[in-house]
Amino acid sequence: MIQDIGEHRIDIVYNEKAALRESDCIIAFQGRNVYMRKRKKGMPSSFLTCEDILPVEYRKEAMERYVKDAVYLLSLDGKKLFLLPAKYLASAYLAEKRDIDMFREKDEEGRAVNFAMITAWHLYCWYEKTKFCGACGIRLRHGKKERAMVCPICGNVIYPRMDPAIIVGIYEEDRILLTKRSPSSGYFSLVSGYSEPGETLEETVRREVMEETGLSISHLVYYKSQPWAASQSVLAGFFARLDGDAHIHIDKSELSDARWVRREDLEGCYSTSGVSLTAEMIAYFHKHPEHFPAYLNENIDNYKIDY
Ligand SMILES: [Zn+2]
């Protein structure tokens, strides 16, 4: 998955004292576009630095403006990454404007950079929408000790927004339920949805499955989670067994397609780019039939989270 970056390390902890230096990495966004270092064919993604885009003769003067406008985001392998306004990178010869969906590409070498980029985009989206206090309308300031925007008048503290959501792989013997939100989606997904206030994640799973497909489930088992910056969410993946009638009553306002697919027919139904939890879960069901009979055994107390 995109967050599986091997030996690379991303440190997301806020550092208010971090001040932009010439050798630090910089990034800028414009809507769903990102400015990164121009890529040569076959090369992994990488970030630009101030040194790359500022000619030596103007650098000292320009850095004063850059430092003022830069927001510290994170560090990748100890290298700091700062957010800058798009105007600073838009005209840089070495910069390239790309769709943020570039993070979905199969780019093993550039995976850590892609994950840092999409995490940066999550923060950028939040900063863009968190400029004024929702309670009193005053312009917010950056928090001093943690990543938050703080109102200097009423003390309102706003933390980065992240919506909890679930994904569930519902199976029955050698079949798994695949869905599509949009008919134009290339690959299939699993049933998914956002958690409501007052709900446990397990309750969200049962509600979403019932709402979108009319199916009942049992033997709900947690699989893995994933930060999914593209929708500013954190996803919790579960597997669950169909309980009862397999007939799907599809909610057309949510899904364009929902169908049972046999394990032997799953090839080509999901992305193999190794980025998303959804694809990993379908692949897990596809490639590891030996892990699923366990759920069907009589002695399943170690597996089930039933309530
Ligand atoms: Zn306020």
Side-chain angles (χ1 to χ4, degrees), residues 132-148:
F132 297 93
C133 178
C136 71
I138 294 293
R139 185 172 273 280
L140 298 166
R141 292 180 186 164
H142 288 272
K144 291 214 182 303
K145 291 188 176 152
E146 53 190 354
R147 192 181 302 279

PDB file of all heavy atoms in Angstrom, residues 132-148:
ATOM      1  N   PHE A 132     -10.255  31.050   8.550  1.00  0.00           N
ATOM      2  CA  PHE A 132     -11.018  31.924   9.458  1.00  0.00           C
ATOM      3  C   PHE A 132     -11.746  31.098  10.516  1.00  0.00           C
ATOM      4  O   PHE A 132     -12.141  29.967  10.261  1.00  0.00           O
ATOM      5  CB  PHE A 132     -12.022  32.761   8.654  1.00  0.00           C
ATOM      6  CG  PHE A 132     -11.362  33.680   7.679  1.00  0.00           C
ATOM      7  CD1 PHE A 132     -11.162  33.277   6.365  1.00  0.00           C
ATOM      8  CD2 PHE A 132     -10.894  34.927   8.076  1.00  0.00           C
ATOM      9  CE1 PHE A 132     -10.519  34.103   5.454  1.00  0.00           C
ATOM     10  CE2 PHE A 132     -10.252  35.762   7.172  1.00  0.00           C
ATOM     11  CZ  PHE A 132     -10.058  35.348   5.860  1.00  0.00           C
ATOM     12  N   CYS A 133     -11.941  31.707  11.679  1.00  0.00           N
ATOM     13  CA  CYS A 133     -12.611  31.021  12.781  1.00  0.00           C
ATOM     14  C   CYS A 133     -14.097  30.815  12.447  1.00  0.00           C
ATOM     15  O   CYS A 133     -14.788  31.780  12.089  1.00  0.00           O
ATOM     16  CB  CYS A 133     -12.472  31.838  14.064  1.00  0.00           C
ATOM     17  SG  CYS A 133     -13.339  31.087  15.458  1.00  0.00           S
ATOM     18  N   GLY A 134     -14.566  29.572  12.576  1.00  0.00           N
ATOM     19  CA  GLY A 134     -15.976  29.266  12.305  1.00  0.00           C
ATOM     20  C   GLY A 134     -16.906  29.817  13.363  1.00  0.00           C
ATOM     21  O   GLY A 134     -18.110  29.930  13.156  1.00  0.00           O
ATOM     22  N   ALA A 135     -16.350  30.172  14.540  1.00  0.00           N
ATOM     23  CA  ALA A 135     -17.187  30.687  15.627  1.00  0.00           C
ATOM     24  C   ALA A 135     -17.313  32.200  15.581  1.00  0.00           C
ATOM     25  O   ALA A 135     -18.393  32.749  15.797  1.00  0.00           O
ATOM     26  CB  ALA A 135     -16.606  30.244  16.967  1.00  0.00           C
ATOM     27  N   CYS A 136     -16.194  32.904  15.296  1.00  0.00           N
ATOM     28  CA  CYS A 136     -16.279  34.375  15.341  1.00  0.00           C
ATOM     29  C   CYS A 136     -15.785  35.063  14.068  1.00  0.00           C
ATOM     30  O   CYS A 136     -15.840  36.288  13.975  1.00  0.00           O
ATOM     31  CB  CYS A 136     -15.543  34.906  16.576  1.00  0.00           C
ATOM     32  SG  CYS A 136     -13.771  34.745  16.469  1.00  0.00           S
ATOM     33  N   GLY A 137     -15.308  34.309  13.107  1.00  0.00           N
ATOM     34  CA  GLY A 137     -14.984  34.891  11.804  1.00  0.00           C
ATOM     35  C   GLY A 137     -13.618  35.558  11.693  1.00  0.00           C
ATOM     36  O   GLY A 137     -13.277  36.095  10.643  1.00  0.00           O
ATOM     37  N   ILE A 138     -12.835  35.511  12.774  1.00  0.00           N
ATOM     38  CA  ILE A 138     -11.510  36.161  12.784  1.00  0.00           C
ATOM     39  C   ILE A 138     -10.477  35.290  12.062  1.00  0.00           C
ATOM     40  O   ILE A 138     -10.587  34.069  12.060  1.00  0.00           O
ATOM     41  CB  ILE A 138     -11.070  36.410  14.259  1.00  0.00           C
ATOM     42  CG1 ILE A 138     -11.991  37.422  14.925  1.00  0.00           C
ATOM     43  CG2 ILE A 138      -9.612  36.816  14.377  1.00  0.00           C
ATOM     44  CD1 ILE A 138     -11.911  38.830  14.373  1.00  0.00           C
ATOM     45  N   ARG A 139      -9.480  35.922  11.439  1.00  0.00           N
ATOM     46  CA  ARG A 139      -8.414  35.153  10.760  1.00  0.00           C
ATOM     47  C   ARG A 139      -7.639  34.327  11.789  1.00  0.00           C
ATOM     48  O   ARG A 139      -7.267  34.831  12.845  1.00  0.00           O
ATOM     49  CB  ARG A 139      -7.461  36.095  10.017  1.00  0.00           C
ATOM     50  CG  ARG A 139      -6.422  35.333   9.207  1.00  0.00           C
ATOM     51  CD  ARG A 139      -5.610  36.246   8.323  1.00  0.00           C
ATOM     52  NE  ARG A 139      -6.231  36.485   7.033  1.00  0.00           N
ATOM     53  CZ  ARG A 139      -6.183  35.640   5.994  1.00  0.00           C
ATOM     54  NH1 ARG A 139      -5.563  34.482   6.108  1.00  0.00           N
ATOM     55  NH2 ARG A 139      -6.755  35.933   4.849  1.00  0.00           N
ATOM     56  N   LEU A 140      -7.446  33.045  11.471  1.00  0.00           N
ATOM     57  CA  LEU A 140      -6.770  32.123  12.397  1.00  0.00           C
ATOM     58  C   LEU A 140      -5.250  32.260  12.311  1.00  0.00           C
ATOM     59  O   LEU A 140      -4.721  32.747  11.310  1.00  0.00           O
ATOM     60  CB  LEU A 140      -7.168  30.681  12.067  1.00  0.00           C
ATOM     61  CG  LEU A 140      -8.657  30.357  12.209  1.00  0.00           C
ATOM     62  CD1 LEU A 140      -8.993  29.034  11.532  1.00  0.00           C
ATOM     63  CD2 LEU A 140      -9.071  30.319  13.679  1.00  0.00           C
ATOM     64  N   ARG A 141      -4.571  31.807  13.361  1.00  0.00           N
ATOM     65  CA  ARG A 141      -3.102  31.772  13.391  1.00  0.00           C
ATOM     66  C   ARG A 141      -2.633  30.333  13.547  1.00  0.00           C
ATOM     67  O   ARG A 141      -3.369  29.488  14.041  1.00  0.00           O
ATOM     68  CB  ARG A 141      -2.581  32.586  14.573  1.00  0.00           C
ATOM     69  CG  ARG A 141      -2.834  34.066  14.405  1.00  0.00           C
ATOM     70  CD  ARG A 141      -2.289  34.819  15.596  1.00  0.00           C
ATOM     71  NE  ARG A 141      -2.659  36.217  15.504  1.00  0.00           N
ATOM     72  CZ  ARG A 141      -2.599  37.074  16.511  1.00  0.00           C
ATOM     73  NH1 ARG A 141      -2.194  36.657  17.701  1.00  0.00           N
ATOM     74  NH2 ARG A 141      -2.940  38.334  16.339  1.00  0.00           N
ATOM     75  N   HIS A 142      -1.383  30.099  13.167  1.00  0.00           N
ATOM     76  CA  HIS A 142      -0.817  28.758  13.349  1.00  0.00           C
ATOM     77  C   HIS A 142      -0.605  28.488  14.835  1.00  0.00           C
ATOM     78  O   HIS A 142      -0.150  29.372  15.575  1.00  0.00           O
ATOM     79  CB  HIS A 142       0.520  28.643  12.615  1.00  0.00           C
ATOM     80  CG  HIS A 142       0.347  28.581  11.127  1.00  0.00           C
ATOM     81  ND1 HIS A 142       0.148  27.408  10.450  1.00  0.00           N
ATOM     82  CD2 HIS A 142       0.297  29.556  10.189  1.00  0.00           C
ATOM     83  CE1 HIS A 142       0.010  27.653   9.167  1.00  0.00           C
ATOM     84  NE2 HIS A 142       0.086  28.955   8.979  1.00  0.00           N
ATOM     85  N   GLY A 143      -0.923  27.244  15.267  1.00  0.00           N
ATOM     86  CA  GLY A 143      -0.682  26.850  16.656  1.00  0.00           C
ATOM     87  C   GLY A 143       0.811  26.845  16.950  1.00  0.00           C
ATOM     88  O   GLY A 143       1.622  26.662  16.041  1.00  0.00           O
ATOM     89  N   LYS A 144       1.162  27.033  18.206  1.00  0.00           N
ATOM     90  CA  LYS A 144       2.584  27.107  18.566  1.00  0.00           C
ATOM     91  C   LYS A 144       3.182  25.740  18.868  1.00  0.00           C
ATOM     92  O   LYS A 144       4.314  25.455  18.508  1.00  0.00           O
ATOM     93  CB  LYS A 144       2.779  28.025  19.772  1.00  0.00           C
ATOM     94  CG  LYS A 144       2.515  29.496  19.443  1.00  0.00           C
ATOM     95  CD  LYS A 144       3.437  30.398  20.244  1.00  0.00           C
ATOM     96  CE  LYS A 144       3.188  31.883  19.987  1.00  0.00           C
ATOM     97  NZ  LYS A 144       3.308  32.237  18.567  1.00  0.00           N
ATOM     98  N   LYS A 145       2.406  24.871  19.539  1.00  0.00           N
ATOM     99  CA  LYS A 145       2.978  23.615  20.004  1.00  0.00           C
ATOM    100  C   LYS A 145       2.551  22.407  19.192  1.00  0.00           C
ATOM    101  O   LYS A 145       3.144  21.348  19.298  1.00  0.00           O
ATOM    102  CB  LYS A 145       2.579  23.382  21.463  1.00  0.00           C
ATOM    103  CG  LYS A 145       3.259  24.361  22.397  1.00  0.00           C
ATOM    104  CD  LYS A 145       3.011  23.993  23.828  1.00  0.00           C
ATOM    105  CE  LYS A 145       3.780  24.938  24.733  1.00  0.00           C
ATOM    106  NZ  LYS A 145       3.173  25.113  26.016  1.00  0.00           N
ATOM    107  N   GLU A 146       1.488  22.529  18.434  1.00  0.00           N
ATOM    108  CA  GLU A 146       0.969  21.383  17.682  1.00  0.00           C
ATOM    109  C   GLU A 146       0.376  21.885  16.378  1.00  0.00           C
ATOM    110  O   GLU A 146       0.165  23.086  16.211  1.00  0.00           O
ATOM    111  CB  GLU A 146      -0.109  20.667  18.511  1.00  0.00           C
ATOM    112  CG  GLU A 146      -1.182  21.621  18.985  1.00  0.00           C
ATOM    113  CD  GLU A 146      -2.139  21.021  19.991  1.00  0.00           C
ATOM    114  OE1 GLU A 146      -2.054  19.825  20.259  1.00  0.00           O
ATOM    115  OE2 GLU A 146      -2.991  21.772  20.487  1.00  0.00           O
ATOM    116  N   ARG A 147       0.125  20.925  15.450  1.00  0.00           N
ATOM    117  CA  ARG A 147      -0.457  21.360  14.179  1.00  0.00           C
ATOM    118  C   ARG A 147      -1.933  21.651  14.396  1.00  0.00           C
ATOM    119  O   ARG A 147      -2.752  20.743  14.540  1.00  0.00           O
ATOM    120  CB  ARG A 147      -0.285  20.310  13.093  1.00  0.00           C
ATOM    121  CG  ARG A 147      -0.630  20.891  11.710  1.00  0.00           C
ATOM    122  CD  ARG A 147      -0.489  19.881  10.606  1.00  0.00           C
ATOM    123  NE  ARG A 147       0.838  19.318  10.510  1.00  0.00           N
ATOM    124  CZ  ARG A 147       1.872  19.898   9.920  1.00  0.00           C
ATOM    125  NH1 ARG A 147       1.744  21.090   9.375  1.00  0.00           N
ATOM    126  NH2 ARG A 147       3.043  19.301   9.879  1.00  0.00           N
ATOM    127  N   ALA A 148      -2.238  22.915  14.474  1.00  0.00           N
ATOM    128  CA  ALA A 148      -3.617  23.363  14.678  1.00  0.00           C
ATOM    129  C   ALA A 148      -3.686  24.812  14.230  1.00  0.00           C
ATOM    130  O   ALA A 148      -2.672  25.497  14.166  1.00  0.00           O
ATOM    131  CB  ALA A 148      -3.994  23.252  16.156  1.00  0.00           C
TER     132      ALA A 148
END
